[in-house]
Amino acid sequence: MGKLEGKVGVITGGASGIGLATARKFVAEGAKVVIGDLPQSNGQAIADELGGLFVAVDVTNKDQVENLFAQAKATYGRIDIAFNNAGISPASDDSILKTDIEAWNLVQNVNLTSVYYCCKAVLPYMMEQGSGSIINTASFVALMGAATSQISYTASKGGVLAMTRELGVQFAGKGIRVNALCPGPVNTPLLQELFAKDPERAARRLVHIPMGRFAEPEELANAVAFLGSDESSFITATEFLVDGGLSHAYVTPLESDWID
Ligand code: NAD
């Protein structure tokens, strides 16, 4: 029996990268999935493949977010897991000296305000059930500064982490857990796009990861399935790091540093 047997999970940004890998993992573990993604995404094909539901949503739109969770509840009768994961990292978001207010606002809306909309929409369903697990995607940059700055992205992820902690504390007594997933760099279209546009800047990230590689989306999906399952029943309000040691490394090892 899978660890998510009988559970229903809603995943924003479920048509690509970490969200897609998580949708596949959820189904493999016995859950029903609702994929929320942009209308032009391939979310419908993925939902068909997984026997789930696709709901077209722009997560910056409050009404569309409410509709996403209402459709999930109407179709499957409950919502056990909300993986609020959709996010962007556009090239226009750069050093604070180069980033204009339009780029700032775009990233804040997609990465941070969306998480506020999603949590606000799903909490009443979970309170009615007296149970639920919310996982909000933050990032390692919520915890550390980078000289290769994406100022609005970093600020948005710091906001996601702080909001998550507060919700985790506030709703613990209602049987609802709220955790922030903090990935290190992951091999997804989001990172590949950054590589394509600015290979030098992207490559600078790699040298700081003790494991010497980026994560694969499936490695994040495993963590999300754990946080969504009852196996993590005493875990809430955390910054759940899945970063290959990145955020706790002072220097990364060379082969000559390995001790046999
Ligand atoms: P991705 O680009 O592969 O997938 C993101 C998905 O979000 C896409 O399917 C896209 O269509 C969807 N999306 C974008 N804007 C949307 C909107 N307005 N409404 C609905 N859906 C929208 O990216 P990914 O790497 O899988 O990223 C997922 C999350 O992980 C993001 O929040 C990202 O910031 C975070 N993250 C990624 C990395 C990394 O290195 N890839 C590292 C840390 C955190």
Side-chain angles (χ1 to χ4, degrees):
M1 202 163 113
K3 66 170 66 133
L4 301 177
E5 212 68 48
K7 292 194 189 290
V8 177
V10 178
I11 302 173
T12 68
S16 177
I18 298 168
L20 171 57
T22 301
R24 293 197 166 122
K25 175 69 176 170
F26 274 18
V27 170
E29 293 290 348
K32 297 268 184 230
V33 285
V34 180
I35 310 269
D37 210 306
L38 292 167
Q40 66 270 27
S41 72
N42 58 345
Q44 185 63 61
I46 291 157
D48 291 345
E49 168 201 320
L50 296 175
L53 176 70
F54 172 63
V55 180
V57 61
D58 177 345
V59 291
T60 66
N61 182 304
K62 175 176 173 286
D63 293 342
Q64 292 184 26
V65 169
E66 284 173 1
N67 177 58
L68 167 67
F69 289 101
Q71 296 269 346
K73 170 78 176 175
T75 305
Y76 295 118
R78 54 187 299 112
I79 303 170
D80 300 288
I81 307 166
F83 182 32
N84 302 322
N85 165 73
I88 55 168
S89 176
S92 55
D93 179 24
D94 200 286
S95 156
I96 193 167
L97 301 174
K98 293 189 194 161
T99 303
D100 61 26
I101 191 65
E102 286 75 26
W104 170 273
N105 284 338
L106 172 70
V107 173
Q108 293 297 312
N109 287 336
V110 178
N111 290 9
L112 177 58
T113 308
S114 70
V115 176
Y116 156 78
Y117 285 147
C118 288
C119 291
K120 197 172 165 70
V122 79
L123 276 163
Y125 297 114
M126 292 181 168
M127 285 170 72
E128 197 187 329
Q129 289 167 193
S131 67
S133 173
I134 297 175
I135 301 124
N136 297 323
T137 303
S139 167
F140 70 100
V141 299
L143 301 160
M144 329 170 57
T148 53
S149 182
Q150 298 167 279
I151 192 65
S152 186
Y153 184 91
T154 299
S156 74
K157 295 303 188 180
V160 169
L161 177 55
M163 177 166 40
T164 300
R165 284 196 194 105
E166 187 147 307
L167 295 178
V169 171
Q170 188 187 355
F171 291 93
K174 303 276 180 203
I176 300 165
R177 297 183 295 108
V178 192
N179 289 291
L181 179 76
C182 293
V186 188
N187 183 20
T188 69
L190 184 137
L191 191 75
Q192 288 152 8
E193 204 176 308
L194 188 69
F195 253 116
K197 288 200 180 113
D198 196 343
E200 197 190 331
R201 186 169 165 177
R204 281 184 68 189
R205 291 167 187 244
L206 195 55
V207 299
H208 298 288
I209 306 174
M211 287 197 182
R213 65 173 178 86
F214 296 137
E216 291 304 320
E218 291 73 22
E219 295 176 289
L220 277 300
N222 289 339
V224 181
F226 170 68
L227 290 172
S229 80
D230 297 339
E231 289 180 358
S232 58
S233 52
F234 203 57
I235 299 177
T236 198
T238 66
E239 50 200 45
F240 201 89
L241 277 159
V242 184
D243 72 348
L246 166 63
S247 57
H248 290 92
Y250 171 48
V251 287
T252 54
L254 300 171
E255 206 164 327
S256 55
D257 296 321
W258 296 350
I259 297 165
D260 293 324

